[in-house]
Amino acid sequence: TGGGGLLGPQHGIALAKWGANIVLVDIDETGLKNAKNKITDNIPESVIKTAVVNIINESALINLRNQLMEKNLAIDILINNASLTGAKYTGNRFKIINLDIEDWNKMISVALTGSFICTKFVSPHMIKQNWGRIINTSSIHGFVGSDYGSSHYASAKAGLIGFTKSAAKELGPYGITVNAIAPGFIRTETLSKSVNEDDLKIFAKQIPVKKLGDVSE
């Protein structure tokens, strides 16, 4: 999910190189097209499919799952990567004293509830085959919080960590592992618009390798 964003295409490239068939899911059709172009520069087009789906729409997800089942495609790996991030969701407007409940709910629904819904609808298939891998994209902000006017983002990512631990306990007996990754600052155009360069240099000094992460990593 979030396959039309910044990290999604990189996940797709890595998994395809390891022999997986990929389905990129995103609500942004243009983003999906751009992502597919990035991936097909590296791997055959035949292994990549896209689906314009809103991950908080249960009916749409059920339809997508059923389409895959009809084609006898196993759902082995789910990467819950969709979220709302970047300059558009940080700043004074999103500080606690200004944050509208609508913006709060939108963030929680995509970054947290969407991951629950996707997990809910693929896990029965994984249980049936007694194998599965679920990876949730959390964030370092889920551990340390955020001071950039994005408490809703940090809260959703912290909630995702709790969901990951719970899902791991529920699904583990069926051969399904559930893990979360929590990236720190990854050098992207979006990040540069959200945080000024001087602050990014300060953050880089706090990282043991003394540099920001790269999307390909």
Side-chain angles (χ1 to χ4, degrees), residues 55-213:
I55 62 166
I56 61 173
N57 184 327
E58 294 187 69
S59 297
L61 281 172
I62 292 173
N63 289 337
L64 175 60
R65 182 196 61 186
N66 291 344
Q67 288 174 25
L68 296 175
M69 295 299 94
E70 289 170 1
K71 296 177 181 178
N72 295 318
L73 293 175
I75 303 177
D76 298 311
I77 302 169
L78 167 66
I79 301 182
N80 285 311
N81 179 64
S83 187
L84 303 175
T85 57
K88 186 177 179 181
Y89 299 100
T90 60
N92 287 331
R93 173 186 167 185
F94 298 102
K95 290 186 181 297
I96 292 171
I97 59 173
N98 300 323
L99 183 58
D100 290 336
I101 189 65
E102 291 81 7
D103 289 319
W104 172 275
N105 287 339
K106 184 178 181 181
M107 178 66 74
I108 299 298
S109 68
V110 175
L112 180 56
T113 306
S115 297
F116 152 69
I117 294 174
C118 291
T119 301
K120 174 182 178 181
F121 288 120
V122 304
S123 54
H125 176 76
M126 291 180 174
I127 289 173
K128 185 176 181 180
Q129 65 189 19
N130 202 41
W131 198 93
R133 298 290 180 261
I134 298 173
I135 301 100
N136 299 320
T137 304
S138 181
S139 167
I140 191 65
H141 295 298
F143 291 97
V144 303
S146 171
D147 59 359
Y148 279 89
S150 55
S151 62
H152 53 342
Y153 175 79
S155 299
K157 294 302 186 179
L160 192 55
I161 293 168
F163 175 71
T164 299
K165 294 178 178 179
S166 301
K169 292 180 178 180
E170 284 191 30
L171 300 176
Y174 302 101
I176 303 167
T177 62
V178 187
N179 291 280
I181 60 172
F185 286 98
I186 306 298
R187 172 69 73 175
T188 64
E189 182 180 349
T190 302
L191 178 64
S192 298
K193 291 180 179 179
S194 305
V195 183
N196 68 63
E197 194 63 32
D198 288 338
D199 283 343
L200 290 179
K201 291 178 181 178
I202 294 173
F203 293 140
K205 290 180 180 179
Q206 298 170 359
I207 300 170
V209 295
K210 305 302 179 186
K211 72 179 188 67
L212 302 182

